[in-house]
Amino acid sequence: MNVKEVEKKFQAIYQKQPTHAFFAPGRVNLIGEHTDYNGGLVFPCALSFGTYLLISPREDKQTHFHSLNFNFSATVNANAFTNKPTEWIKYPLGVMKEFADRGFNPWGYDLLYYGNIPNGAGLSSSASIEIVTAVMLNEVTRAMFDMVEMIKMSQHAENNYVGMNCGIMDQFAVGIGKANQAIALDCATLEYEYVPLAMKGYKLVITNTNKKRGLTDSKYNERRTECEEAVTAISKEHPIKFLCELNIEEFNHFNHLLPNSTILRRARHVISENQRVIHAIDALKEGKLNKLGQLMNESHKSLKEDYEVTGIELDTLAEESQLQKGVLGSRMTGAGFGGCTVTLVAENEVDNYIKKVSQLYKAKTDLEATFYIANIGNGACKLY
């Protein structure tokens, strides 16, 4: 569904024309999983699909939400901040609270959301909703926040209103993505650079496990707590704020301080993954796609064995993909426990790859995978 088709839906629901339309993409992370909240490096890019938001002002001070994805409607006002909903509107409401807390009135609009990001796939549908809401409110309230400030506000909303203790990567990639570019982002300093995705006959294929991810939020917060335990333990002899301040050699020197083998493995993944991102950025700049693929494979192995966030569905997709003709590398992407893999596949082998992996995955898991050939798009914007 494109923006013109969403306009027709808006007219049918609200009996009027929308005055503005906004868009924010999803994202895929090439490498650097669970490093963002550990002060490390990530290497994401924005996707061409995402979330549309069409709006029109209301005469009263209420805001009406409607989603074409969830067949859900609600009319709310400022009381919603104290009576937190459990439905998807907690994401835009959290961002509205950020604006209200800064003295801007977020109320009095008819809103229609439509997203073509697979829900629960780990491609940042929640960050896309947050950022598109922030860009909309920035326009209609004339708040004049720059994109980085809106990114911070959206992350703060998800941490403090939604209750998901995420890092900043998702919102950052959604907000400042650029077509055909990956973003090398230092999550500790928010310094970043664009790196051209010169694929030279290769495609990025995103594969959705289509596994429901019921435990993702709780397990995500659990992993973050385990990393904080590692920082506390190491800081007794070597003060650090984030695990990613350490390289592998330093980690090996101090890892005797960690309380148990589980915390050691969690920390080892984070620190080794941060090093892999550094090497992956260099590999892409140098056009060494074989090296990038190797690092992707190593990343998945670490996420499986040390961080334990994969599961049979993600492991089947990644490991079977790694064996296919024309594949340079494959790994899970996102928080884990379901969601998607990202695979670097020779362009002339994509069709065969999809056919074979689809069959193998179905045979092993009894689930149907969904495949997307990734097009790398721009970050959030006002359409009109």
Side-chain angles (χ1 to χ4, degrees):
M1 194 180 299
N2 60 32
V3 68
K4 291 295 183 185
E5 292 169 312
V6 182
E7 278 182 14
K8 292 177 182 177
K9 297 287 188 181
F10 188 99
Q11 293 165 21
I13 293 165
Y14 292 119
Q15 302 299 306
K16 59 180 176 178
Q17 290 274 82
T19 56
H20 298 297
F22 303 85
F23 177 80
R27 71 95 188 92
V28 65
N29 193 24
L30 298 178
I31 195 166
E33 228 60 76
H34 295 277
T35 50
D36 60 340
Y37 54 83
N38 284 295
L41 297 164
V42 292
F43 201 29
C45 43
L47 296 168
S48 56
F49 49 77
T51 305
Y52 293 95
L53 171 56
L54 276 60
I55 79 160
S56 179
R58 291 171 63 96
E59 293 182 2
D60 58 26
K61 292 302 179 184
Q62 294 181 324
T63 290
H64 188 89
F65 293 85
H66 191 94
S67 167
L68 296 179
N69 298 90
F70 299 106
N71 193 26
F72 174 90
S73 295
T75 301
V76 300
N77 54 31
N79 292 332
F81 293 153
T82 52
N83 302 312
K84 291 185 184 180
T86 57
E87 299 88 359
W88 67 273
I89 61 168
K90 61 189 177 184
Y91 297 104
L93 280 175
V95 175
M96 289 176 170
K97 186 175 188 302
E98 294 292 316
F99 277 79
D101 288 348
R102 289 162 175 79
F104 297 96
N105 179 17
W107 304 109
Y109 299 95
D110 287 322
L111 308 178
L112 177 62
Y113 289 82
Y114 169 70
N116 51 14
I117 305 171
N119 186 44
L123 300 177
S124 291
S125 56
S126 59
S128 184
I129 291 170
E130 290 159 359
I131 293 291
V132 79
T133 304
V135 172
M136 178 274 291
L137 289 172
N138 202 48
E139 169 77 17
V140 298
T141 67
R142 295 181 170 83
M144 304 296 288
F145 294 123
D146 63 27
M147 182 58 77
V148 172
E149 184 63 22
M150 287 189 282
I151 287 166
K152 292 177 181 177
M153 291 162 67
S154 296
Q155 183 208 10
H156 190 263
E158 186 149 351
N159 290 169
N160 292 275
Y161 190 79
V162 176
M164 178 67 166
N165 209 9
C166 66
I168 203 166
M169 173 185 67
D170 293 354
Q171 291 84 2
F172 212 96
V174 167
I176 61 125
K178 186 179 287 189
N180 302 313
Q181 308 271 324
I183 307 159
L185 170 65
D186 184 328
C187 295
T189 65
L190 298 189
E191 294 177 359
Y192 67 95
E193 65 172 317
Y194 293 107
V195 180
L197 273 173
M199 302 298 287
K200 299 178 182 176
Y202 284 81
K203 291 287 188 180
L204 286 173
V205 179
I206 299 170
T207 309
N208 189 353
T209 62
N210 289 316
K211 179 199 174 185
K212 293 182 179 179
R213 301 195 307 158
L215 294 175
T216 306
D217 289 7
S218 62
K219 289 292 184 181
Y220 184 101
N221 290 340
E222 179 183 292
R223 292 297 180 275
R224 185 158 184 165
T225 298
E226 290 167 339
C227 292
E228 290 166 356
E229 286 184 45
V231 168
T232 299
I234 291 171
S235 291
K236 291 174 182 176
E237 287 190 16
H238 183 74
I240 56 172
K241 185 177 180 182
F242 297 113
L243 280 175
C244 289
E245 294 172 33
L246 302 173
N247 59 37
I248 287 294
E249 292 74 22
E250 290 168 329
F251 170 69
N252 290 336
H253 181 73
F254 292 111
N255 64 20
H256 67 279
L257 299 168
L258 299 174
N260 56 56
S261 62
T262 298
I263 301 299
L264 185 148
R265 286 184 289 111
R266 303 297 187 250
R268 182 170 60 201
H269 163 72
V270 169
I271 294 163
S272 65
E273 183 81 346
N274 198 52
Q275 298 296 300
R276 283 188 285 272
V277 180
I278 294 170
H279 297 317
I281 292 166
D282 291 340
L284 197 54
K285 288 179 176 179
E286 296 165 6
K288 296 179 179 177
L289 292 182
N290 279 323
K291 179 64 174 175
L292 176 61
Q294 177 189 336
L295 291 162
M296 291 169 70
N297 293 345
E298 292 172 5
S299 172
H300 187 86
K301 186 173 188 289
S302 180
L303 287 157
K304 175 184 178 180
E305 297 178 358
D306 278 350
Y307 222 62
E308 297 183 285
V309 291
T310 57
I312 187 172
E313 295 84 6
L314 286 167
D315 290 338
T316 298
L317 283 179
E319 292 165 1
E320 294 292 355
S321 293
Q322 292 166 13
L323 299 174
Q324 300 306 311
K325 182 180 179 182
V327 171
L328 296 185
S330 184
R331 61 181 290 275
M332 62 150 273
T333 184
F337 305 104
C340 291
T341 59
V342 58
T343 306
L344 190 53
V345 188
E347 194 167 2
N348 60 359
E349 291 290 340
V350 168
D351 289 343
N352 286 333
Y353 161 77
I354 290 173
K355 182 178 178 181
K356 289 181 179 179
V357 172
S358 179
Q359 292 171 344
L360 290 164
Y361 182 69
K362 172 71 171 176
K364 193 161 187 178
T365 67
D366 204 32
L367 292 171
E368 300 279 357
T370 309
F371 296 81
Y372 309 87
I373 299 172
N375 293 311
I376 309 307
N378 289 310
C381 64
K382 179 183 177 182
L383 298 177
Y384 62 77

